[in-house]
Amino acid sequence: MQVTVNGFSMAYSDAGQGTPLLLIHGFPLNRQLWQPQLDGLSDVARVIAPDLRGHGDSQAVPGPYSMDLFADDLNALLDALGIQEKIVLCGLSMGGYVVFAFCRKYAHRLRGLILTATRAAADAPAGRAGRDQMMAMAHEKGVAAISDSMLPKLLAPQTYPARPNQVEQVRSITLDVSLEGVLGDLAALKERPDSTPTLAQIDVPALLLHGADDQIIPLKEAQAMQAGIRGARLAVVDGAGHLPGLENTGIFNEAIKAFERFFGFP
Ligand code: MLT
């Protein structure tokens, strides 16, 4: 489905009924990442998964992008869908950085948070330099080079020999992003603020889901967020790297269902 928000056409999937569960993908990904949650959670929630601007089937608008801008797009999506009730917002990696921006701007729309494969801190100087290198690579060699550089890190090390089909599925997802999207993301990632002070302001139930073998954001980042968010629960997803909802769908979806039962989404 497509809807116009903030002057561009945004693609989204929408399945099920009940409390809206809005799923935000990471970099350089799109909503295909969330198919196992659209399939497996739409019996307990209304699962909505958009493609951020520049990604997947959403329009390839030029930058600058920022985490605040992505949060504004999501807020506009909720308005466009006529959703007035409070939502559960779930973000993976860069999507988690968007969740923090959403918390700062639109906390009144939230009834719960799920943060997966993400961190609160801003980029360190070496990380910022890495973003510049990737931007140069994207300009010079295109989106396929970004996909090639990310693919070996996105999944758990053991997944590569064991599940070649899943590796190819993730490759194909990472190729479905525009150059505008990649460049916009990288600048937004580089400039994002430190969200550590936001943790203490979160006053809705929070669930942290992190792959035990995440090669991009280590588990200790989730443990640090758990210490900073009042009452947060942490579920470690075994056999998963940076994409736990795809790599170990059973544990991931069950943890969200348990969160739903405990806090009662409906
Ligand atoms: C992501 O998966 O969204 C990115 O790898 C996050 C990051 O690079 O900080």
Side-chain angles (χ1 to χ4, degrees):
M1 283 171 275
Q2 294 276 344
V3 65
T4 299
V5 294
N6 292 344
F8 75 98
S9 178
M10 177 179 247
Y12 67 100
S13 299
D14 188 348
Q17 290 175 346
T19 298
L21 171 61
L22 183 58
L23 304 174
I24 315 305
H25 63 77
F27 165 84
L29 304 164
N30 61 61
R31 74 190 198 282
Q32 291 172 51
L33 177 75
W34 297 119
Q35 197 55 51
Q37 285 65 50
L38 286 157
D39 293 339
L41 295 173
S42 52
D43 56 338
V44 296
R46 177 177 175 186
V47 187
I48 304 168
D51 284 338
L52 295 173
R53 55 173 68 211
H55 299 73
D57 299 322
S58 284
Q59 202 177 326
V61 274
Y65 296 180
S66 66
M67 300 307 156
D68 277 356
L69 182 65
F70 288 140
D72 292 343
D73 292 344
L74 299 175
N75 185 56
L77 174 68
L78 294 172
D79 286 346
L81 297 181
I83 292 175
Q84 285 168 1
E85 65 186 291
K86 292 188 177 196
I87 66 160
V88 176
L89 183 60
C90 168
L92 176 128
S93 200
M94 183 180 79
Y97 312 153
V98 178
V99 168
F100 291 129
F102 196 96
C103 285
R104 290 187 285 270
K105 297 190 84 166
Y106 305 111
H108 60 281
R109 297 198 89 141
L110 296 172
R111 66 181 298 168
L113 289 184
I114 303 170
L115 291 160
T116 181
T118 195
R119 56 156 55 99
D123 277 1
R128 290 167 62 89
R131 307 291 187 196
D132 289 335
Q133 284 163 8
M134 285 185 85
M135 276 189 259
M137 182 163 77
H139 273 300
E140 206 180 309
K141 299 184 176 156
V143 167
I146 300 296
S147 166
D148 287 346
S149 75
M150 292 294 293
L151 191 62
K153 297 179 286 191
L154 282 168
L155 298 164
Q158 63 272 24
T159 300
Y160 293 87
R163 286 192 256 159
N165 291 346
Q166 187 160 67
V167 178
E168 285 316 304
Q169 180 195 8
V170 172
R171 183 196 303 281
S172 132
I173 296 176
T174 60
L175 287 169
D176 194 2
V177 59
S178 64
L179 183 60
E180 289 90 338
V182 164
L183 294 172
D185 286 358
L186 286 166
L189 287 162
K190 180 182 169 188
E191 299 304 334
R192 77 183 192 278
D194 179 10
S195 291
T196 308
T198 306
L199 300 179
Q201 288 158 18
I202 294 173
D203 63 357
V204 291
L207 171 66
L208 309 176
L209 281 163
H210 211 92
D213 304 310
D214 191 326
Q215 304 188 73
I216 294 181
I217 299 184
L219 180 58
K220 68 176 191 328
E221 298 283 356
Q223 290 158 339
M225 288 191 294
Q226 185 187 23
I229 304 175
R230 221 175 355 262
R233 305 174 140 214
L234 170 61
V236 178
V237 184
D238 286 331
H242 195 57
L243 307 179
L246 199 64
E247 294 175 82
N248 196 339
T249 300
I251 291 189
F252 189 91
N253 285 2
E254 205 33 65
I256 293 181
K257 285 188 177 186
F259 184 59
E260 178 269 327
R261 282 194 294 273
F262 195 75
F263 294 109
F265 287 179

mmCIF file of all heavy atoms in Angstrom, residues 27-30 32-33 56 143-155 159-161 163-178 182 243 246-247:
data_model
loop_
_atom_site.group_PDB
_atom_site.id
_atom_site.type_symbol
_atom_site.label_atom_id
_atom_site.label_comp_id
_atom_site.label_asym_id
_atom_site.label_seq_id
_atom_site.Cartn_x
_atom_site.Cartn_y
_atom_site.Cartn_z
ATOM 1 N N PHE A 27 19.306 0.103 8.430
ATOM 2 C CA PHE A 27 20.097 0.478 7.246
ATOM 3 C C PHE A 27 20.859 -0.736 6.739
ATOM 4 O O PHE A 27 21.459 -1.440 7.548
ATOM 5 C CB PHE A 27 21.102 1.570 7.648
ATOM 6 C CG PHE A 27 22.207 1.800 6.651
ATOM 7 C CD1 PHE A 27 21.998 2.642 5.566
ATOM 8 C CD2 PHE A 27 23.451 1.181 6.793
ATOM 9 C CE1 PHE A 27 23.015 2.860 4.641
ATOM 10 C CE2 PHE A 27 24.465 1.391 5.861
ATOM 11 C CZ PHE A 27 24.242 2.233 4.786
ATOM 12 N N PRO A 28 20.944 -0.984 5.475
ATOM 13 C CA PRO A 28 20.252 -0.387 4.325
ATOM 14 C C PRO A 28 19.113 -1.322 3.906
ATOM 15 O O PRO A 28 19.211 -2.000 2.898
ATOM 16 C CB PRO A 28 21.365 -0.354 3.261
ATOM 17 C CG PRO A 28 22.206 -1.599 3.575
ATOM 18 C CD PRO A 28 21.968 -1.980 5.019
ATOM 19 N N LEU A 29 18.082 -1.338 4.714
ATOM 20 C CA LEU A 29 17.067 -2.399 4.630
ATOM 21 C C LEU A 29 15.720 -1.815 4.212
ATOM 22 O O LEU A 29 15.644 -0.671 3.764
ATOM 23 C CB LEU A 29 16.987 -3.115 5.991
ATOM 24 C CG LEU A 29 18.338 -3.687 6.480
ATOM 25 C CD1 LEU A 29 18.294 -4.021 7.965
ATOM 26 C CD2 LEU A 29 18.713 -4.935 5.680
ATOM 27 N N ASN A 30 14.685 -2.586 4.368
ATOM 28 C CA ASN A 30 13.331 -2.108 4.067
ATOM 29 C C ASN A 30 12.340 -3.048 4.751
ATOM 30 O O ASN A 30 12.735 -3.960 5.481
ATOM 31 C CB ASN A 30 13.107 -2.011 2.546
ATOM 32 C CG ASN A 30 13.261 -3.349 1.870
ATOM 33 O OD1 ASN A 30 12.519 -4.289 2.163
ATOM 34 N ND2 ASN A 30 14.241 -3.482 0.993
ATOM 35 N N GLN A 32 10.611 -5.511 3.953
ATOM 36 C CA GLN A 32 10.621 -6.968 3.719
ATOM 37 C C GLN A 32 11.222 -7.710 4.908
ATOM 38 O O GLN A 32 10.934 -8.881 5.154
ATOM 39 C CB GLN A 32 11.454 -7.305 2.492
ATOM 40 C CG GLN A 32 10.866 -6.850 1.178
ATOM 41 C CD GLN A 32 11.878 -7.060 0.056
ATOM 42 O OE1 GLN A 32 12.433 -8.139 -0.103
ATOM 43 N NE2 GLN A 32 12.137 -6.011 -0.699
ATOM 44 N N LEU A 33 12.087 -6.992 5.626
ATOM 45 C CA LEU A 33 12.703 -7.551 6.823
ATOM 46 C C LEU A 33 11.662 -8.056 7.820
ATOM 47 O O LEU A 33 11.911 -8.987 8.581
ATOM 48 C CB LEU A 33 13.528 -6.423 7.468
ATOM 49 C CG LEU A 33 14.223 -6.694 8.765
ATOM 50 C CD1 LEU A 33 15.443 -7.550 8.484
ATOM 51 C CD2 LEU A 33 14.639 -5.388 9.426
ATOM 52 N N GLY A 56 13.148 0.586 -0.290
ATOM 53 C CA GLY A 56 12.123 -0.333 -0.770
ATOM 54 C C GLY A 56 11.222 0.327 -1.790
ATOM 55 O O GLY A 56 11.682 0.912 -2.778
ATOM 56 N N VAL A 143 24.984 1.393 -4.882
ATOM 57 C CA VAL A 143 24.338 0.687 -3.769
ATOM 58 C C VAL A 143 24.856 -0.751 -3.618
ATOM 59 O O VAL A 143 24.971 -1.274 -2.502
ATOM 60 C CB VAL A 143 22.807 0.693 -4.012
ATOM 61 C CG1 VAL A 143 22.085 -0.270 -3.104
ATOM 62 C CG2 VAL A 143 22.250 2.098 -3.860
ATOM 63 N N ALA A 144 25.218 -1.397 -4.733
ATOM 64 C CA ALA A 144 25.665 -2.797 -4.652
ATOM 65 C C ALA A 144 26.928 -2.921 -3.788
ATOM 66 O O ALA A 144 27.095 -3.912 -3.063
ATOM 67 C CB ALA A 144 25.922 -3.347 -6.054
ATOM 68 N N ALA A 145 27.789 -1.897 -3.843
ATOM 69 C CA ALA A 145 29.015 -1.949 -3.039
ATOM 70 C C ALA A 145 28.683 -1.828 -1.546
ATOM 71 O O ALA A 145 29.338 -2.458 -0.695
ATOM 72 C CB ALA A 145 29.972 -0.822 -3.461
ATOM 73 N N ILE A 146 27.662 -1.056 -1.230
ATOM 74 C CA ILE A 146 27.240 -0.930 0.178
ATOM 75 C C ILE A 146 26.670 -2.270 0.648
ATOM 76 O O ILE A 146 26.979 -2.755 1.740
ATOM 77 C CB ILE A 146 26.179 0.197 0.325
ATOM 78 C CG1 ILE A 146 26.766 1.535 -0.121
ATOM 79 C CG2 ILE A 146 25.638 0.252 1.736
ATOM 80 C CD1 ILE A 146 27.914 2.057 0.698
ATOM 81 N N SER A 147 25.864 -2.881 -0.205
ATOM 82 C CA SER A 147 25.313 -4.196 0.130
ATOM 83 C C SER A 147 26.450 -5.197 0.375
ATOM 84 O O SER A 147 26.447 -5.919 1.369
ATOM 85 C CB SER A 147 24.405 -4.664 -1.017
ATOM 86 O OG SER A 147 24.101 -6.024 -0.895
ATOM 87 N N ASP A 148 27.429 -5.208 -0.521
ATOM 88 C CA ASP A 148 28.564 -6.149 -0.370
ATOM 89 C C ASP A 148 29.304 -5.919 0.943
ATOM 90 O O ASP A 148 29.772 -6.864 1.574
ATOM 91 C CB ASP A 148 29.562 -5.981 -1.528
ATOM 92 C CG ASP A 148 29.027 -6.559 -2.832
ATOM 93 O OD1 ASP A 148 28.033 -7.311 -2.786
ATOM 94 O OD2 ASP A 148 29.602 -6.243 -3.890
ATOM 95 N N SER A 149 29.431 -4.656 1.340
ATOM 96 C CA SER A 149 30.203 -4.387 2.555
ATOM 97 C C SER A 149 29.398 -4.708 3.817
ATOM 98 O O SER A 149 29.967 -5.057 4.843
ATOM 99 C CB SER A 149 30.708 -2.937 2.582
ATOM 100 O OG SER A 149 29.651 -2.069 2.893
ATOM 101 N N MET A 150 28.071 -4.592 3.748
ATOM 102 C CA MET A 150 27.252 -4.855 4.940
ATOM 103 C C MET A 150 26.932 -6.337 5.119
ATOM 104 O O MET A 150 26.811 -6.824 6.247
ATOM 105 C CB MET A 150 25.916 -4.097 4.840
ATOM 106 C CG MET A 150 26.019 -2.596 4.915
ATOM 107 S SD MET A 150 26.597 -1.971 6.505
ATOM 108 C CE MET A 150 25.254 -2.409 7.610
ATOM 109 N N LEU A 151 26.762 -7.047 3.999
ATOM 110 C CA LEU A 151 26.238 -8.415 4.070
ATOM 111 C C LEU A 151 27.029 -9.339 5.009
ATOM 112 O O LEU A 151 26.418 -10.081 5.788
ATOM 113 C CB LEU A 151 26.144 -9.019 2.661
ATOM 114 C CG LEU A 151 25.368 -10.326 2.576
ATOM 115 C CD1 LEU A 151 23.902 -10.150 3.002
ATOM 116 C CD2 LEU A 151 25.430 -10.906 1.169
ATOM 117 N N PRO A 152 28.367 -9.301 4.990
ATOM 118 C CA PRO A 152 29.088 -10.236 5.876
ATOM 119 C C PRO A 152 28.908 -9.971 7.363
ATOM 120 O O PRO A 152 29.305 -10.797 8.192
ATOM 121 C CB PRO A 152 30.562 -10.018 5.475
ATOM 122 C CG PRO A 152 30.520 -9.327 4.151
ATOM 123 C CD PRO A 152 29.261 -8.526 4.133
ATOM 124 N N LYS A 153 28.312 -8.813 7.720
ATOM 125 C CA LYS A 153 28.163 -8.477 9.151
ATOM 126 C C LYS A 153 26.724 -8.594 9.638
ATOM 127 O O LYS A 153 26.468 -8.572 10.842
ATOM 128 C CB LYS A 153 28.628 -7.029 9.387
ATOM 129 C CG LYS A 153 30.101 -6.792 9.075
ATOM 130 C CD LYS A 153 30.510 -5.353 9.297
ATOM 131 C CE LYS A 153 29.974 -4.454 8.195
ATOM 132 N NZ LYS A 153 30.475 -3.101 8.139
ATOM 133 N N LEU A 154 25.778 -8.688 8.727
ATOM 134 C CA LEU A 154 24.381 -8.555 9.154
ATOM 135 C C LEU A 154 23.850 -9.782 9.902
ATOM 136 O O LEU A 154 22.999 -9.661 10.775
ATOM 137 C CB LEU A 154 23.484 -8.262 7.939
ATOM 138 C CG LEU A 154 23.533 -6.804 7.452
ATOM 139 C CD1 LEU A 154 22.865 -6.659 6.076
ATOM 140 C CD2 LEU A 154 22.856 -5.859 8.448
ATOM 141 N N LEU A 155 24.361 -10.937 9.554
ATOM 142 C CA LEU A 155 23.841 -12.165 10.165
ATOM 143 C C LEU A 155 24.863 -12.742 11.142
ATOM 144 O O LEU A 155 26.022 -12.337 11.160
ATOM 145 C CB LEU A 155 23.519 -13.180 9.058
ATOM 146 C CG LEU A 155 22.441 -12.704 8.069
ATOM 147 C CD1 LEU A 155 22.437 -13.563 6.800
ATOM 148 C CD2 LEU A 155 21.069 -12.707 8.719
ATOM 149 N N THR A 159 25.450 -18.429 10.471
ATOM 150 C CA THR A 159 24.342 -18.465 9.505
ATOM 151 C C THR A 159 24.849 -18.568 8.064
ATOM 152 O O THR A 159 24.187 -19.158 7.206
ATOM 153 C CB THR A 159 23.464 -17.203 9.658
ATOM 154 O OG1 THR A 159 22.957 -17.193 10.992
ATOM 155 C CG2 THR A 159 22.287 -17.186 8.690
ATOM 156 N N TYR A 160 26.044 -17.992 7.804
ATOM 157 C CA TYR A 160 26.513 -17.927 6.408
ATOM 158 C C TYR A 160 26.692 -19.310 5.788
ATOM 159 O O TYR A 160 26.139 -19.573 4.714
ATOM 160 C CB TYR A 160 27.774 -17.048 6.308
ATOM 161 C CG TYR A 160 27.442 -15.608 6.624
ATOM 162 C CD1 TYR A 160 27.453 -15.145 7.934
ATOM 163 C CD2 TYR A 160 27.036 -14.729 5.635
ATOM 164 C CE1 TYR A 160 27.092 -13.841 8.248
ATOM 165 C CE2 TYR A 160 26.669 -13.415 5.930
ATOM 166 C CZ TYR A 160 26.699 -12.984 7.241
ATOM 167 O OH TYR A 160 26.321 -11.704 7.538
ATOM 168 N N PRO A 161 27.434 -20.235 6.469
ATOM 169 C CA PRO A 161 27.525 -21.572 5.873
ATOM 170 C C PRO A 161 26.236 -22.378 6.015
ATOM 171 O O PRO A 161 25.913 -23.191 5.148
ATOM 172 C CB PRO A 161 28.668 -22.245 6.652
ATOM 173 C CG PRO A 161 28.776 -21.486 7.927
ATOM 174 C CD PRO A 161 28.306 -20.082 7.640
ATOM 175 N N ARG A 163 22.902 -21.369 6.226
ATOM 176 C CA ARG A 163 21.638 -20.983 5.587
ATOM 177 C C ARG A 163 21.880 -20.044 4.406
ATOM 178 O O ARG A 163 21.569 -18.847 4.466
ATOM 179 C CB ARG A 163 20.716 -20.325 6.619
ATOM 180 C CG ARG A 163 20.128 -21.345 7.580
ATOM 181 C CD ARG A 163 18.998 -20.751 8.395
ATOM 182 N NE ARG A 163 19.433 -20.459 9.738
ATOM 183 C CZ ARG A 163 18.846 -19.597 10.552
ATOM 184 N NH1 ARG A 163 17.804 -18.904 10.139
ATOM 185 N NH2 ARG A 163 19.297 -19.407 11.768
ATOM 186 N N PRO A 164 22.456 -20.587 3.326
ATOM 187 C CA PRO A 164 22.772 -19.725 2.175
ATOM 188 C C PRO A 164 21.541 -19.030 1.584
ATOM 189 O O PRO A 164 21.641 -17.905 1.088
ATOM 190 C CB PRO A 164 23.403 -20.691 1.158
ATOM 191 C CG PRO A 164 23.156 -22.068 1.666
ATOM 192 C CD PRO A 164 22.893 -21.973 3.132
ATOM 193 N N ASN A 165 20.374 -19.669 1.666
ATOM 194 C CA ASN A 165 19.164 -19.020 1.122
ATOM 195 C C ASN A 165 18.815 -17.751 1.888
ATOM 196 O O ASN A 165 18.390 -16.756 1.303
ATOM 197 C CB ASN A 165 17.963 -19.971 1.159
ATOM 198 C CG ASN A 165 18.128 -21.099 0.169
ATOM 199 O OD1 ASN A 165 18.995 -21.033 -0.699
ATOM 200 N ND2 ASN A 165 17.318 -22.138 0.328
ATOM 201 N N GLN A 166 19.020 -17.823 3.202
ATOM 202 C CA GLN A 166 18.724 -16.644 4.008
ATOM 203 C C GLN A 166 19.730 -15.526 3.705
ATOM 204 O O GLN A 166 19.358 -14.348 3.659
ATOM 205 C CB GLN A 166 18.765 -16.993 5.496
ATOM 206 C CG GLN A 166 18.299 -15.851 6.360
ATOM 207 C CD GLN A 166 17.887 -16.307 7.737
ATOM 208 O OE1 GLN A 166 18.732 -16.760 8.513
ATOM 209 N NE2 GLN A 166 16.609 -16.216 8.062
ATOM 210 N N VAL A 167 20.977 -15.897 3.471
ATOM 211 C CA VAL A 167 21.995 -14.898 3.114
ATOM 212 C C VAL A 167 21.579 -14.204 1.813
ATOM 213 O O VAL A 167 21.636 -12.967 1.705
ATOM 214 C CB VAL A 167 23.384 -15.565 2.967
ATOM 215 C CG1 VAL A 167 24.422 -14.533 2.536
ATOM 216 C CG2 VAL A 167 23.793 -16.247 4.268
ATOM 217 N N GLU A 168 21.130 -14.992 0.845
ATOM 218 C CA GLU A 168 20.717 -14.402 -0.437
ATOM 219 C C GLU A 168 19.469 -13.537 -0.280
ATOM 220 O O GLU A 168 19.333 -12.491 -0.921
ATOM 221 C CB GLU A 168 20.501 -15.494 -1.494
ATOM 222 C CG GLU A 168 21.793 -16.077 -2.023
ATOM 223 C CD GLU A 168 22.861 -15.000 -2.332
ATOM 224 O OE1 GLU A 168 22.582 -14.071 -3.122
ATOM 225 O OE2 GLU A 168 23.963 -15.075 -1.763
ATOM 226 N N GLN A 169 18.574 -13.955 0.600
ATOM 227 C CA GLN A 169 17.374 -13.142 0.873
ATOM 228 C C GLN A 169 17.779 -11.779 1.439
ATOM 229 O O GLN A 169 17.276 -10.732 1.014
ATOM 230 C CB GLN A 169 16.479 -13.879 1.878
ATOM 231 C CG GLN A 169 15.219 -13.117 2.228
ATOM 232 C CD GLN A 169 14.528 -13.662 3.480
ATOM 233 O OE1 GLN A 169 15.043 -14.527 4.190
ATOM 234 N NE2 GLN A 169 13.346 -13.148 3.749
ATOM 235 N N VAL A 170 18.734 -11.798 2.360
ATOM 236 C CA VAL A 170 19.170 -10.529 2.967
ATOM 237 C C VAL A 170 19.918 -9.688 1.939
ATOM 238 O O VAL A 170 19.752 -8.463 1.876
ATOM 239 C CB VAL A 170 20.022 -10.802 4.230
ATOM 240 C CG1 VAL A 170 20.637 -9.518 4.766
ATOM 241 C CG2 VAL A 170 19.147 -11.451 5.298
ATOM 242 N N ARG A 171 20.702 -10.339 1.089
ATOM 243 C CA ARG A 171 21.384 -9.576 0.028
ATOM 244 C C ARG A 171 20.335 -8.841 -0.829
ATOM 245 O O ARG A 171 20.472 -7.658 -1.115
ATOM 246 C CB ARG A 171 22.209 -10.509 -0.865
ATOM 247 C CG ARG A 171 22.984 -9.729 -1.946
ATOM 248 C CD ARG A 171 23.492 -10.620 -3.075
ATOM 249 N NE ARG A 171 24.331 -11.707 -2.619
ATOM 250 C CZ ARG A 171 25.620 -11.579 -2.289
ATOM 251 N NH1 ARG A 171 26.217 -10.414 -2.407
ATOM 252 N NH2 ARG A 171 26.303 -12.621 -1.880
ATOM 253 N N SER A 172 19.307 -9.568 -1.195
ATOM 254 C CA SER A 172 18.310 -8.952 -2.070
ATOM 255 C C SER A 172 17.599 -7.794 -1.358
ATOM 256 O O SER A 172 17.317 -6.760 -1.972
ATOM 257 C CB SER A 172 17.380 -10.053 -2.583
ATOM 258 O OG SER A 172 16.071 -9.715 -2.463
ATOM 259 N N ILE A 173 17.364 -7.921 -0.048
ATOM 260 C CA ILE A 173 16.741 -6.799 0.690
ATOM 261 C C ILE A 173 17.676 -5.587 0.680
ATOM 262 O O ILE A 173 17.248 -4.456 0.445
ATOM 263 C CB ILE A 173 16.385 -7.226 2.143
ATOM 264 C CG1 ILE A 173 15.316 -8.327 2.144
ATOM 265 C CG2 ILE A 173 15.901 -6.018 2.944
ATOM 266 C CD1 ILE A 173 14.968 -8.891 3.522
ATOM 267 N N THR A 174 18.973 -5.821 0.902
ATOM 268 C CA THR A 174 19.913 -4.692 0.983
ATOM 269 C C THR A 174 20.124 -4.007 -0.372
ATOM 270 O O THR A 174 20.644 -2.893 -0.414
ATOM 271 C CB THR A 174 21.293 -5.121 1.521
ATOM 272 O OG1 THR A 174 21.839 -6.105 0.634
ATOM 273 C CG2 THR A 174 21.238 -5.673 2.914
ATOM 274 N N LEU A 175 19.737 -4.680 -1.442
ATOM 275 C CA LEU A 175 19.887 -4.060 -2.767
ATOM 276 C C LEU A 175 18.672 -3.210 -3.142
ATOM 277 O O LEU A 175 18.715 -2.460 -4.110
ATOM 278 C CB LEU A 175 20.100 -5.150 -3.835
ATOM 279 C CG LEU A 175 21.482 -5.803 -3.802
ATOM 280 C CD1 LEU A 175 21.517 -7.043 -4.688
ATOM 281 C CD2 LEU A 175 22.555 -4.811 -4.229
ATOM 282 N N ASP A 176 17.602 -3.343 -2.344
ATOM 283 C CA ASP A 176 16.352 -2.655 -2.680
ATOM 284 C C ASP A 176 16.284 -1.313 -1.941
ATOM 285 O O ASP A 176 15.387 -1.058 -1.135
ATOM 286 C CB ASP A 176 15.178 -3.560 -2.307
ATOM 287 C CG ASP A 176 13.881 -3.090 -2.929
ATOM 288 O OD1 ASP A 176 13.900 -2.089 -3.669
ATOM 289 O OD2 ASP A 176 12.849 -3.721 -2.639
ATOM 290 N N VAL A 177 17.265 -0.484 -2.199
ATOM 291 C CA VAL A 177 17.329 0.846 -1.599
ATOM 292 C C VAL A 177 17.931 1.770 -2.649
ATOM 293 O O VAL A 177 18.765 1.347 -3.450
ATOM 294 C CB VAL A 177 18.171 0.815 -0.288
ATOM 295 C CG1 VAL A 177 19.582 0.340 -0.530
ATOM 296 C CG2 VAL A 177 18.206 2.174 0.408
ATOM 297 N N SER A 178 17.478 3.010 -2.657
ATOM 298 C CA SER A 178 18.002 3.953 -3.654
ATOM 299 C C SER A 178 19.326 4.555 -3.178
ATOM 300 O O SER A 178 19.646 4.519 -1.976
ATOM 301 C CB SER A 178 16.990 5.078 -3.875
ATOM 302 O OG SER A 178 16.840 5.815 -2.665
ATOM 303 N N VAL A 182 20.544 5.561 0.653
ATOM 304 C CA VAL A 182 21.816 5.183 1.298
ATOM 305 C C VAL A 182 22.560 6.432 1.780
ATOM 306 O O VAL A 182 23.034 6.493 2.917
ATOM 307 C CB VAL A 182 22.698 4.367 0.314
ATOM 308 C CG1 VAL A 182 24.129 4.289 0.787
ATOM 309 C CG2 VAL A 182 22.118 2.969 0.149
ATOM 310 N N LEU A 243 19.942 -9.314 12.724
ATOM 311 C CA LEU A 243 18.558 -9.341 12.239
ATOM 312 C C LEU A 243 17.773 -10.439 12.960
ATOM 313 O O LEU A 243 17.323 -11.421 12.349
ATOM 314 C CB LEU A 243 18.544 -9.583 10.712
ATOM 315 C CG LEU A 243 19.420 -8.631 9.870
ATOM 316 C CD1 LEU A 243 19.330 -8.984 8.383
ATOM 317 C CD2 LEU A 243 19.014 -7.167 10.087
ATOM 318 N N LEU A 246 14.448 -12.102 11.825
ATOM 319 C CA LEU A 246 14.521 -12.939 10.627
ATOM 320 C C LEU A 246 15.266 -14.246 10.943
ATOM 321 O O LEU A 246 14.880 -15.318 10.496
ATOM 322 C CB LEU A 246 15.283 -12.148 9.564
ATOM 323 C CG LEU A 246 15.173 -12.526 8.107
ATOM 324 C CD1 LEU A 246 13.745 -12.342 7.619
ATOM 325 C CD2 LEU A 246 16.106 -11.623 7.276
ATOM 326 N N GLU A 247 16.335 -14.120 11.721
ATOM 327 C CA GLU A 247 17.214 -15.275 11.947
ATOM 328 C C GLU A 247 16.630 -16.266 12.941
ATOM 329 O O GLU A 247 16.888 -17.465 12.841
ATOM 330 C CB GLU A 247 18.579 -14.787 12.455
ATOM 331 C CG GLU A 247 19.345 -13.975 11.440
ATOM 332 C CD GLU A 247 20.637 -13.410 12.023
ATOM 333 O OE1 GLU A 247 21.639 -14.155 12.065
ATOM 334 O OE2 GLU A 247 20.644 -12.248 12.438
#
